[in-house]
Amino acid sequence: MIYDPPETAPLHEDRLGGDSLPGLYVHIPFCVSKCPYCGFYSVTDLSRIPAYLTALRREMDLCRRWVECFDTLYIGGGTPSVLPAEELEGLITALRGTFTIAAGAEITVETNPADITPGLLAELRRAGVNRLNIGVQAFDDATLAFLGRRHSSSQAVAAVQLARETGFPNIGLDLIYGLPPSSISAWLAALDKAVGLAPDHISCYQLTPEAGTPLAERCRLGEIILPGESLQADLFLKTSEFLEEKGYIHYEVSNFARPGAESRHNSKYWDHTPYLGLGPGAHSFRGRERRWNHPSLPGYLKDLAAGRPPVEAAEVLTDGQLRLEALFLGLRTKRGIDLKDYRRRYRYDLLTKKGKTIASLAEQGLAEIRNGFLRPTRAGMAVADSLALI
Amino acid sequence: MNNIRNFSIIAHIDHGKSTLADRLIQYTGVVEDRNFQDQILDNMEIERERGITIKSQAVSLPYQAKDGRSYTLNLIDTPGHVDFTYEVSRSLASCEGVLLLIDAAQGVQAQTLANLYLAMEHDLAVIPVINKIDLPSADVERVIEQIDSELGLDPDTHLKCSAKAGIGIEDILEAVVERVPPPKGDPAAPLAALIFDAKYDSFRGTVIHCRIFAGTVKAGDIIRLMYNNATYRVEEVGRFLLQRQKRESLSAGDVGYIIAGVKTVSDVRTGDTITLDNRPCPKPLPGFKEVKPVVFASIYPIASDDYEDLAVSLEKFKLNDASFIYEKDSSAALGQGFRCGFLGLLHLDIVQERLEREYDLSIILSVPSVRYRFTLNDGTVLLVDNPAHYPDPASIAMSEEPYIRAAMMLPERYLGAVMKLCMEKRGVNSTLNYPNPGRAELAYEMPLAEVIFDFYDRFKSVTQGYGSFDYDLIEYRESNLILLDILVNGEKVDALSQIVHRERARARGLQACERLKEEIPRQMFKIAIQGAIGGEIVSRTTISPFRKDVIAKCYGGDITRKRKLLEKQKKGKKRMKMIGNVSIPQSAFLAVLKSDTE
């Protein structure tokens, strides 16, 4: 019999994070131009790239002993593809030199269709990138203009085809929905076009006004009116129905994949697997500590120039916080929460503590318990935030 | 005694009472400027925030007058709401004069008049003071005219000041010396001291605030409280100079405090007379009334784990609020709690807020109720202030509810609207007088239940603040009463039940459903709200569910941001009571009583 400590015993850090190896994230905080909806940190002064890459190497050195081995690497941004192809390749090589990256690791790079050239893709393939994420966002030029994108619809289509020809085993598209005016039929047509390109992974993000962005300001002024909750719900549910019909599993609120093509890296964020984030604003997590870097490039560069870790702040999660995170993250996924595993890792028995609430959620068709997992239904995933507050 | 003056400041709300008190205190140097803070007499955070005085306060101002003599000017601050009319009357009874403060821009207002009448009832010298004369919108001439025509006072007696700018303060102090008569009374006579307030001090027990009308009291005396004949040995007497200042004795004419080992403020009654045990005065000072709660509601902790904390907090709270009473209670929907009695809805509101703020508790109050009287078939008489204890309707021979006589003063132009409101509130037997041209004095007999719930707010609103209102309980009268239940998703919520007049039941049921629909946030599933009488559903509404709330992105590794958002929501949800699977916010319980005409 396995000794099961009581709920009052402190959580053991080594019990957190499941069984997979940690993930490594590298942030490239540069964009050719800023999109009005994007709340991520980036700068458009590309002349600072060399200084940044120097600082990044220093940060890598400082973190060299952070963990034994990673089995995913994700280069995101910003726009990583604004880096010259050889720099990107050089970066990946350097990362491999500093850290141990497991054989067969998932290596993702985010790209803008406008940057995609046969040369870049070939370089990335050579560097071992096996998952290419393409920021397609939309398939009509008016929408792309509204979103402030610098690529055209035809460039996006060509980029996906080129990636396919180059032989990337996992190609993912990012799409945005819920733009005004929003019609379900127009969105489904865009999804159909995406499916026609046969990607392995599709992320569908609902347009949300992020504080401090031009979009948020225009919403505040009433210049832009985003769809109401009812239409949002319809869009969300239709997206799910449509893509699942086409063989893409709705495995997380915003993410769809062919079976087996789920993002292994992103999944680590959702189950407390450790991850190391490098670059401005990047977050790292291990055990019960989460820390994050200075979100701005100058602050980041200054710290590293002085040989200091560019960490802005850190927090040590309480048991309650770990439980809440595991709950809300788990309920964003189709897999749901492994109740036995949850009890083991977080010393909290959802079934005995929240059985009545869960039963009522099941009755409302928002959640179900199957094979020991508490899973959101499709309708439940649409209200996952509230599910997490049970 | 000739160098003592006892006075109070009375005013309509926001006419600058606390600011003037601050200025008088500063001018006479009771507090050094560096220790000064605004609204210095409003000790409680909640008083400063709401700009109302809840507890009476007193301060002795040392003043060197132009006549070359030194005076002690005792300023007694008074609470300013109809729930506390009795406390005001006891404070005024302790004075010989008042400063009647009038805003130079707003002129005479409802409470200006209501307060003037109170002062006149006590035969006090009235000094009209026009405040805020430095405002661009000030119209001093108009106010002088009003002092004559509306207040019936000699307009030549007015003073002008700006409490905020510190203009005219010395003239006010001089006028207090010259125009407020010195107190009378024989220091050698048997002790007669009027209690106008009491405060709890965790080191000294109850500090009794009093005005000595006759005799002398000093440490070591055995005093007797005439209401209950309890005796105590005096430990200390003194005056208030913001802090207590110990003195040898207090004599006729003085305003000050007595500390005599009284354990809780509930052991003393505002308005009671203190005398000496071995040499009592022949009869108590006039005007004593035992204040009884008229509004009852149950308090429950939102988290049932907090029950013990709530119990301890109520006990502590009670130490300083004699008019608050409570006993154990339990609810099928809300669990263990306490049934509490209050002077009125404002008092209830203040108690709730202070419990939450000063004792850090999250509480739910049930729908407030008055105390009904039921005579059963077997002759038993039941007093019921909790709808949960409403007797089996088949066993009731007679139902009665408390009635009050409401006295209202208002400009004639609002008469129609006020009469309509009173009729709507089941008012009967009205009388109407015109004490001054253009001014009406209206009285109605009304069920207390109709008056305490949202009458006062609506009265103020239909008279645009120009009406004053006061009431006295008169008697119980037979009334056709029934129990209105509220069901949330089919589950009866006893804390939302009300005893109502049969003719009003359907309308009240509908109103309750509508209010709850506004107060209860949408949830993940449909919520049905029903009003029921006996087994019959008389009203219903539904709250449609929301279908989407999830934010699309959970940024990279930044789980923290999202978690903080959820933690905040969770905290908000903790302030709601779960009934079945529905979260009901605190506000819902009081909102069911509000009418929709607001």
Side-chain angles (χ1 to χ4, degrees):
Chain A
M1 195 184 138
I2 297 163
Y3 169 66
D4 210 15
E7 272 177 20
T8 47
L11 303 184
H12 279 285
E13 295 181 5
D14 54 6
R15 282 177 172 249
L16 299 170
D19 308 317
S20 53
L21 288 170
L24 176 60
Y25 175 81
V26 180
H27 192 67
I28 305 297
F30 295 98
C31 286
V32 171
S33 56
K34 294 287 290 179
C35 300
Y37 59 89
C38 179
F40 284 113
Y41 179 72
S42 70
V43 295
T44 51
D45 178 4
L46 304 186
S47 71
R48 311 190 70 173
I49 289 176
Y52 174 63
L53 290 176
T54 307
L56 186 59
R57 307 252 165 140
R58 286 198 178 192
E59 193 189 9
M60 284 159 55
D61 280 339
L62 290 173
C63 298
R64 136 189 323 272
R65 268 177 251 292
W66 195 79
V67 80
E68 289 282 302
C69 179
F70 296 100
D71 73 350
T72 62
L73 166 62
Y74 195 107
I75 301 178
T79 317
S81 57
V82 300
L83 293 193
E86 61 281 8
E87 292 286 8
L88 258 178
E89 203 246 321
L91 173 62
I92 295 169
T93 308
L95 288 163
R96 286 185 190 282
T98 310
F99 304 105
T100 308
I101 296 190
E106 174 191 275
I107 301 179
T108 307
V109 175
E110 287 182 345
T111 59
N112 183 309
D115 300 328
I116 286 183
T117 59
L120 172 74
L121 294 189
E123 197 87 38
L124 292 179
R125 268 311 279 149
R126 265 201 298 283
V129 175
N130 48 25
R131 191 167 176 274
L132 197 73
N133 205 66
I134 305 173
V136 171
Q137 317 307 1
F139 283 105
D140 73 280
D141 291 339
T143 307
L144 287 169
F146 174 86
L147 291 172
R149 302 295 297 185
R150 59 188 164 97
H151 68 273
S152 66
S153 160
S154 54
Q155 268 178 308
V157 173
V160 178
Q161 281 161 350
L162 191 57
R164 180 63 71 216
E165 285 159 21
T166 317
F168 283 93
N170 188 333
I171 297 169
L173 308 186
D174 284 355
L175 298 175
I176 295 181
Y177 69 97
L179 296 82
S182 221
S183 88
I184 292 176
S185 56
W187 167 240
L188 291 181
L191 277 181
D192 197 42
K193 198 154 184 184
V195 169
L197 296 170
D200 305 278
H201 191 280
I202 303 176
S203 298
C204 299
Y205 297 115
Q206 188 194 317
L207 186 64
T208 43
E210 296 296 328
T213 61
L215 174 72
E217 179 60 12
R218 291 185 66 192
C219 286
R220 195 185 63 79
L221 295 172
E223 292 172 18
I224 293 177
I225 296 164
L226 295 178
E229 177 232 316
S230 172
L231 180 53
Q232 282 181 26
D234 289 340
L235 286 164
F236 180 87
L237 299 174
K238 288 279 180 210
T239 305
S240 177
E241 283 167 29
F242 181 87
L243 289 177
E244 292 221 314
E245 179 97 344
K246 301 286 182 186
Y248 292 89
I249 296 164
H250 190 181
Y251 74 102
E252 195 262 357
V253 168
S254 314
N255 289 293
F256 299 82
R258 290 194 194 288
E262 297 88 354
S263 163
R264 276 157 54 197
H265 181 83
N266 284 336
S267 298
K268 294 184 195 300
Y269 297 143
W270 306 328
D271 72 351
H272 283 152
T273 303
Y275 48 87
L276 174 65
L278 305 175
H283 282 61
S284 302
F285 176 78
R286 184 172 56 187
R288 56 170 76 221
E289 189 204 47
R290 189 173 289 117
R291 61 166 210 232
W292 50 94
N293 286 348
H294 285 296
S296 80
L297 189 57
Y300 176 85
L301 295 178
K302 199 175 142 210
D303 268 356
L304 284 162
R308 279 192 303 268
V311 174
E312 183 188 53
E315 61 177 358
V316 175
L317 301 182
T318 63
D319 292 0
Q321 288 173 326
L322 284 166
R323 281 175 194 142
L324 176 63
E325 287 193 356
L327 194 65
F328 85 73
L329 292 168
L331 288 171
R332 289 172 65 93
T333 66
K334 180 161 193 145
R335 178 179 182 267
I337 292 167
D338 181 341
L339 290 166
K340 222 171 113 187
D341 186 52
Y342 190 89
R343 199 181 60 209
R344 179 183 66 85
R345 283 160 69 175
Y346 306 105
R347 303 269 129 254
Y348 190 87
D349 191 339
L350 281 168
L351 270 188
T352 52
K353 291 281 168 93
K354 301 284 178 191
K356 225 172 122 185
T357 315
I358 291 170
S360 119
L361 292 173
E363 206 175 294
Q364 312 285 341
L366 296 170
E368 58 186 7
I369 292 184
R370 195 178 286 178
N371 304 327
F373 282 78
L374 170 64
R375 302 165 32 164
T377 62
R378 185 176 279 154
M381 217 183 241
V383 293
D385 281 5
S386 292
L387 286 186
L389 296 179
I390 58 171
Chain B
M1 211 183 308
N2 279 330
N3 61 356
I4 295 177
R5 298 291 182 275
N6 297 318
F7 73 107
S8 184
I9 308 172
I10 55 178
H12 188 78
I13 190 158
D14 285 339
H15 280 198
K17 192 169 76 142
S18 295
T19 313
L20 179 59
D22 288 351
R23 236 24 102 229
L24 297 177
I25 290 166
Q26 260 181 326
Y27 190 90
T28 53
V30 176
V31 58
E32 285 175 46
D33 281 348
R34 66 187 167 86
N35 292 332
F36 189 78
Q37 68 179 121
D38 282 349
Q39 282 179 262
I40 204 155
L41 291 184
D42 291 343
N43 277 332
M44 284 188 272
E45 199 183 331
I46 176 169
E47 290 185 314
R48 291 211 175 93
E49 262 179 35
R50 294 193 177 200
I52 54 168
T53 306
I54 298 163
K55 298 284 280 184
S56 303
Q57 289 276 355
V59 58
S60 296
L61 310 171
Y63 180 61
Q64 181 84 36
K66 285 183 180 163
D67 63 13
R69 292 165 58 188
S70 298
Y71 290 87
T72 296
L73 311 182
N74 293 313
L75 165 60
I76 300 166
D77 197 12
T78 56
H81 188 273
V82 68
D83 280 6
F84 305 110
T85 307
Y86 175 68
E87 285 74 3
V88 177
S89 81
R90 293 308 84 201
S91 294
L92 292 182
S94 306
C95 299
E96 275 78 25
V98 291
L99 300 172
L100 178 64
L101 201 60
I102 310 162
D103 183 306
Q106 291 189 15
V108 168
Q109 298 282 329
Q111 281 174 292
T112 317
L113 262 160
N115 282 311
L116 173 64
Y117 287 122
L118 267 178
M120 288 167 117
E121 262 177 46
H122 290 92
D123 286 326
L124 304 183
V126 177
I127 304 171
V129 178
I130 305 174
N131 189 21
K132 309 192 191 182
I133 53 164
D134 55 336
L135 282 184
S137 55
D139 186 350
V140 177
E141 288 313 307
R142 185 180 67 109
V143 179
I144 295 173
E145 209 278 314
Q146 286 178 333
I147 290 174
D148 183 16
S149 63
E150 298 202 20
L151 303 183
L153 297 173
D154 179 355
D156 295 333
T157 60
H158 79 271
L159 299 173
K160 292 193 265 289
C161 80
S162 165
K164 200 168 176 191
I167 302 167
I169 304 304
E170 190 183 9
D171 290 347
I172 292 173
L173 291 164
E174 283 296 316
V176 169
V177 169
E178 286 165 23
R179 283 148 67 177
V180 174
K184 292 196 215 71
D186 179 1
L191 177 67
L194 175 70
I195 301 176
F196 65 83
D197 200 6
K199 286 212 174 54
Y200 181 74
D201 178 302
S202 48
F203 298 105
R204 307 298 305 270
T206 300
V207 179
I208 301 168
H209 298 203
C210 61
R211 155 73 197 269
I212 316 288
F213 279 91
T216 300
V217 62
K218 59 183 187 310
D221 286 348
I222 305 292
I223 52 166
R224 187 203 299 173
L225 306 182
M226 296 184 80
Y227 161 76
N228 58 1
N229 279 321
T231 55
Y232 301 92
R233 174 184 290 274
V234 176
E235 294 168 6
E236 181 182 319
V237 301
R239 280 182 183 166
F240 301 101
L241 280 110
L242 292 188
Q243 271 91 42
R244 294 192 296 265
Q245 195 184 62
K246 195 169 161 180
R247 287 170 66 88
E248 278 292 296
S249 64
L250 292 175
S251 293
D254 277 332
V255 168
Y257 68 88
I258 298 176
I259 295 172
V262 181
K263 280 219 181 72
T264 78
V265 296
S266 306
D267 297 328
V268 298
R269 294 281 189 282
T270 298
D272 191 10
T273 303
I274 302 173
T275 192
L276 288 181
D277 190 43
N278 58 4
R279 194 178 162 228
C281 57
K283 59 180 194 334
L285 296 161
F288 175 72
K289 257 196 335 195
E290 189 169 13
V291 181
K292 288 206 175 105
V294 294
V295 180
F296 301 85
S298 299
I299 295 183
Y300 305 96
I302 288 183
S304 46
D305 300 353
D306 290 345
Y307 177 77
E308 287 305 322
D309 284 351
L310 176 60
V312 171
S313 303
L314 288 178
E315 202 179 318
K316 276 196 215 151
F317 186 84
K318 170 79 183 153
L319 288 178
N320 215 3
D321 188 344
S323 46
F324 170 72
I325 60 161
Y326 70 100
E327 62 186 28
K328 281 188 180 174
D329 184 35
S330 73
S331 148
L334 299 177
Q336 294 289 312
F338 296 91
R339 191 72 186 170
C340 308
F342 308 91
L343 297 179
L345 277 191
L346 179 78
H347 186 216
L348 174 150
D349 219 28
I350 287 165
V351 171
Q352 167 174 6
E353 204 170 323
R354 289 190 58 197
L355 282 173
E356 298 215 317
R357 205 184 279 202
E358 294 165 29
Y359 297 90
D360 195 25
L361 291 166
S362 286
I363 54 174
I364 288 271
L365 261 92
S366 68
V367 174
S369 170
V370 301
R371 181 172 274 165
Y372 296 95
R373 189 157 76 187
F374 297 98
T375 307
L376 305 186
N377 293 327
D378 64 4
T380 323
V381 176
L382 282 181
L383 286 173
V384 174
D385 61 45
N386 185 345
H389 301 153
Y390 181 76
D392 173 10
S395 72
I396 301 174
M398 181 170 69
S399 308
E400 293 167 292
E401 65 178 319
Y403 266 68
I404 55 113
R405 187 189 318 277
M408 293 161 274
M409 298 281 300
L410 53 139
E412 197 182 354
R413 61 184 179 279
Y414 301 116
L415 200 55
V418 171
M419 290 175 89
K420 186 163 164 274
L421 173 65
C422 292
M423 308 279 271
E424 191 192 306
K425 296 288 188 181
R426 296 194 277 139
V428 290
N429 296 341
S430 64
T431 59
L432 177 62
N433 288 307
Y434 292 95
N436 299 311
R439 187 154 284 277
E441 190 182 292
L442 180 65
Y444 261 97
E445 292 168 8
M446 283 190 271
L448 174 63
E450 299 281 356
V451 173
I452 53 175
F453 307 133
D454 119 283
F455 176 83
Y456 189 54
D457 287 342
R458 288 187 57 201
F459 175 77
K460 273 195 300 193
S461 113
V462 299
T463 61
Q464 296 177 315
Y466 282 92
S468 67
F469 161 79
D470 190 15
Y471 67 83
D472 284 305
L473 276 170
I474 44 176
E475 62 191 348
Y476 274 85
R477 287 187 187 168
E478 187 159 2
S479 186
N480 195 348
L481 301 172
I482 53 167
L483 183 68
L484 172 68
D485 285 319
I486 301 291
L487 287 76
V488 175
N489 272 355
E491 194 170 330
K492 190 173 103 183
V493 183
D494 51 6
L496 287 171
S497 296
Q498 309 172 50
I499 294 172
V500 297
H501 193 265
R502 184 179 296 273
E503 280 166 26
R504 305 281 156 140
R506 268 171 201 279
R508 292 290 278 274
L510 200 63
Q511 182 184 310
C513 286
E514 288 301 321
R515 286 282 157 263
L516 288 170
K517 185 175 178 170
E518 286 165 22
E519 295 292 331
I520 299 175
R522 292 199 301 157
Q523 294 173 28
M524 285 180 286
F525 36 80
K526 193 167 94 177
I527 303 166
I529 301 167
Q530 295 165 307
I533 295 168
E536 188 201 351
I537 303 296
V538 295
S539 57
R540 85 173 71 224
T541 51
T542 53
I543 300 172
S544 57
F546 59 77
R547 295 162 55 219
K548 176 109 174 23
D549 72 345
V550 67
I551 296 169
K553 275 169 259 186
C554 209
Y555 288 117
D558 184 2
I559 308 300
T560 305
R561 180 172 117 146
K562 175 85 181 170
R563 191 198 67 239
K564 284 188 174 157
L565 212 70
L566 286 173
E567 278 171 346
K568 208 169 136 193
Q569 286 177 23
K570 206 165 174 162
K571 218 169 148 188
K573 208 175 154 187
K574 268 203 179 143
R575 311 240 328 115
M576 298 194 220
K577 190 79 190 176
M578 288 299 290
I579 294 184
N581 49 11
V582 181
S583 311
I584 301 186
Q586 223 178 18
S587 55
F589 293 84
L590 283 174
V592 299
L593 293 172
K594 295 243 167 75
S595 54
D596 39 333
T597 41
E598 276 177 90

